[in-house]
Amino acid sequence: MEIVYVYVKKRSEFGRQCNFSDRQAETNVDIQPDPSQAKNFIERDPIDAAIQCASDMSEHEVNTERFEMENEGVNHLEGGWPKDVNPLEMEQTIRFRKKVEKDENYVNTIIQLGSLMEHCIKQNNAINIYEEYFDDEETADVADEPPSAKTINVFRDPNLIKRTATHLSWHPDGSKKLAVAYSSLEFQRSSKDMSYESYIWDLENPNKPDLVLRPSSPLMSLEYNPKDSHILVGGCYNGQIAYWDTRKGGQPVELSTVEFSHRDPVYGMIWLQSKTGTDCFSASTDGQVLWWDIRKLTEPTETLVMDISRKGVLENALGAIALEFEPTMVCDEPLFSLRLQDNGRFIGCGSKLGTVTLLEVSSGLCTLQRNEKNLATAMFERETKREKILEARHREMRLKERTKAEGKEEDVKVETEEEKPEELLARVQKEFFEIIEAEIRRKERAAKLSKAQEKEVTDENEDEDPYKEE
């Protein structure tokens, strides 16, 4: 089995070129003559020397030892577990790890192994002749340039029937991969031949997906686990929740049951920063937020029901419905999803036809410039002082108004009783029916007026007709 890894790096990332220049000669060592060695000097007389017209040439051959190469592969299986622990059961492995970590010898063993591993790792270190030793002292100057972004890669939906890239998620470890959820957002427009697959793309290879995810229904949202980069959780169009382990392939490890899932498409997934890293939240337009444990997706851990009239707030907050705007420099298609990399250097844009465009922003937008922190801090302090001054001014004005009002109300005090709920309901109903009757009368008057105007126009036309029989 041949294992090949192609490492691609831009010339601009190699570092600065070594420039050599002329300088004055420097004396490093000065050895003075020894007079005692003069007695060992012998003059040669005569001296014979051979001279020829052709230049001297020599030839030298070296036969080095041949370097032999072999291709080897390693098939690593889960091992080291006791017989009573099933490595395929996550709960058993987690319970066993916690038990081992509480052992006193565990820490000492890890420290000893860490020192050995550190020694082996340092053997592969190389000297960086361009290393900056004083980066923390002062930030590098950034050239004044207008903010811009350039296209690095374009990842297109490999299916013939194009779908919308509904959600993007960056790989938490180095952001070298991008998970994209594909689905059709047009209601009842999907055909039978439309694929349900979503993909994980490698930034270095835009021609073929790195991994294919095969859900039971098109994915509306997809999120990497920030603690375990091999685990992803996704929300489907039919309301189900599924999670994948990339080490086990593209089929979901577990899928939530339909009766305990959402009733509408799942537009948002959020991982909970818990100790185990297995809890997540899902949000849908059915007005529910469900708390899930991926180790048990048969039913949610908790259900948070929201007001269905405010579901639009949830959609906008979780990025469920992205605004469609006129295409500009990114691509010629409407954009429906947007995700920024953790370090702020790359931006992924998903379009309606499933095209994901990778943009690299200019250094002026993502690099901390000189005195930027100080300027921002000064601005916040200035705004804080301004806010305190305005609050004090408003407090003073309210105090003056309250003093005036109290002076006027000292002579006359009117006690008002609160309106009962029954009286309030009756008054509102009466006002409502009065508005309806007024609107009906207005429409009747408008209809009579329009009929009268039509009759007048008809009479005028009959009077002006020259062919009318007298």
Side-chain angles (χ1 to χ4, degrees):
M1 178 179 65
E2 184 177 1
I3 302 176
V4 179
Y5 176 74
V6 180
Y7 182 76
V8 181
K9 194 172 185 181
K10 297 181 180 179
R11 177 61 186 87
S12 59
E13 299 177 359
F14 288 165
R16 297 189 301 273
Q17 181 181 2
C18 295
N19 296 324
F20 301 95
S21 59
D22 298 334
R23 65 178 182 178
Q24 297 295 330
E26 297 180 1
T27 302
N28 296 326
V29 179
D30 186 8
I31 301 176
Q32 299 295 329
D34 187 3
S36 62
Q37 298 293 335
K39 61 182 180 180
N40 297 328
F41 180 75
I42 301 176
E43 295 184 357
R44 295 178 59 188
D45 187 18
I47 298 176
D48 297 334
I51 299 175
Q52 62 179 5
C53 297
S55 59
D56 295 336
M57 301 182 66
S58 63
E59 182 179 358
H60 181 69
E61 295 182 357
V62 177
N63 187 13
T64 59
E65 184 178 357
R66 184 176 179 84
F67 180 74
E68 297 181 358
M69 298 181 61
E70 295 181 359
N71 295 327
E72 296 182 358
V74 177
N75 185 15
H76 176 71
L77 299 176
E78 193 75 21
W81 298 101
K83 294 181 179 180
D84 57 343
V85 176
N86 185 5
L88 301 179
E89 293 292 336
M90 187 177 298
E91 295 181 357
Q92 297 184 15
T93 55
I94 292 175
R95 192 182 305 111
F96 181 77
R97 286 195 183 99
K98 289 182 178 179
K99 180 180 178 181
V100 174
E101 290 174 358
K102 293 180 181 178
D103 190 0
E104 296 180 355
N105 297 328
Y106 173 75
V107 178
N108 299 328
T109 305
I110 292 298
I111 294 175
Q112 295 177 0
L113 294 176
S115 60
L116 295 175
M117 183 61 65
E118 184 180 3
H119 174 71
C120 297
I121 293 175
K122 286 183 176 180
Q123 293 180 351
N124 297 326
N125 289 346
I127 298 176
N128 183 11
I129 62 176
Y130 306 108
E131 183 178 359
E132 297 288 345
Y133 297 96
F134 306 101
D135 289 341
D136 299 334
E137 296 296 331
E138 186 177 0
T139 56
D141 295 336
V142 179
D144 295 335
E145 57 179 357
S148 61
K150 59 181 179 180
T151 302
I152 302 300
N153 277 331
V154 177
F155 308 97
R156 303 185 186 279
D157 187 2
N159 294 281
L160 297 177
I161 302 176
K162 304 302 179 183
R163 303 161 296 163
T164 303
T166 55
H167 200 269
L168 308 177
S169 179
W170 287 97
H171 193 278
D173 187 9
S175 298
K176 294 297 183 182
K177 295 182 180 181
L178 181 64
V180 184
Y182 294 88
S183 179
S184 177
L185 297 180
E186 298 179 2
F187 182 67
Q188 293 183 347
R189 293 290 183 88
S190 60
S191 61
K192 297 181 180 179
D193 299 332
M194 183 172 291
S195 175
Y196 290 173
E197 297 177 350
S198 293
Y199 308 105
I200 298 178
W201 298 90
D202 189 349
L203 301 187
E204 303 294 339
N205 184 17
N207 299 323
K208 183 180 179 181
D210 185 67
L211 184 64
V212 180
L213 305 179
R214 298 179 176 87
S216 60
S217 178
L219 288 179
M220 301 297 298
S221 56
L222 189 63
E223 285 291 344
Y224 270 108
N225 190 332
K227 292 190 176 182
D228 191 349
S229 59
H230 300 287
I231 295 179
L232 298 94
V233 65
C236 301
Y237 189 84
N238 62 352
Q240 289 183 292
I241 306 299
Y243 92 92
W244 286 264
D245 190 338
T246 56
R247 294 166 294 189
K248 299 180 181 180
Q251 297 294 337
V253 179
E254 192 170 352
L255 192 66
S256 64
T257 54
V258 178
E259 54 269 23
F260 292 106
S261 300
H262 291 280
R263 297 185 298 272
D264 288 350
V266 181
Y267 286 105
M269 296 296 304
I270 297 177
W271 283 98
L272 180 63
Q273 300 295 333
S274 60
K275 294 182 180 180
T276 58
T278 59
D279 298 326
C280 61
F281 287 106
S282 64
S284 173
T285 52
D286 60 0
Q288 295 187 97
V289 175
L290 302 182
W291 182 357
W292 300 91
D293 189 342
I294 62 173
R295 295 172 297 182
K296 184 182 178 182
L297 284 181
T298 54
E299 58 180 344
T301 306
E302 189 68 32
T303 302
L304 306 177
V305 181
M306 299 183 63
D307 187 1
I308 195 66
S309 61
R310 300 188 61 193
K311 66 179 182 179
V313 179
L314 176 65
E315 295 174 4
N316 294 329
L318 296 177
I321 300 178
L323 297 179
E324 181 176 336
F325 54 87
E326 292 295 331
T328 56
M329 60 172 293
V330 179
C331 63
D332 297 333
E333 306 163 9
L335 299 180
F336 274 79
S337 55
L338 186 70
R339 198 64 178 266
L340 180 66
Q341 197 183 21
D342 293 338
N343 58 9
R345 189 69 176 178
F346 298 101
I347 300 176
C349 306
S351 70
K352 182 178 180 181
L353 298 182
T355 302
V356 179
T357 305
L358 185 63
L359 302 177
E360 182 182 7
V361 299
S362 59
S363 58
L365 293 176
C366 60
T367 304
L368 185 64
Q369 301 183 9
R370 179 181 295 179
N371 297 330
E372 187 172 352
K373 288 185 178 179
N374 298 333
L375 293 176
T377 304
M379 181 187 67
F380 290 141
E381 292 178 354
R382 184 169 60 253
E383 292 298 324
T384 303
K385 292 180 180 179
R386 179 174 176 270
E387 184 179 358
K388 290 181 179 179
I389 293 172
L390 292 176
E391 287 181 357
R393 178 62 177 167
H394 289 310
R395 196 181 304 112
E396 184 180 354
M397 294 176 64
R398 288 195 300 268
L399 182 60
K400 290 181 179 180
E401 293 177 357
R402 191 182 305 112
T403 304
K404 292 180 181 180
E406 289 177 356
K408 294 180 180 179
E409 293 178 357
E410 285 180 357
D411 300 334
V412 181
K413 293 184 178 180
V414 180
E415 296 181 357
T416 59
E417 298 181 357
E418 293 185 358
E419 193 174 6
K420 296 181 179 180
E422 295 80 4
E423 297 176 355
L424 178 61
L425 180 61
R427 182 173 58 82
V428 172
Q429 290 179 351
K430 182 179 179 182
E431 293 177 357
F432 174 74
F433 287 116
E434 289 178 355
I435 294 173
I436 295 297
E437 292 176 357
E439 184 68 19
I440 293 174
R441 289 195 297 268
R442 187 187 64 80
K443 290 183 177 180
E444 291 178 352
R445 289 196 300 268
K448 292 179 180 179
L449 180 61
S450 61
K451 290 182 179 179
Q453 291 178 353
E454 291 178 358
K455 185 177 181 181
E456 291 178 0
V457 173
T458 305
D459 296 341
E460 291 178 359
N461 294 335
E462 291 178 355
D463 295 339
E464 295 177 359
D465 190 358
Y467 300 102
K468 182 179 179 182
E469 296 181 358
E470 297 180 357

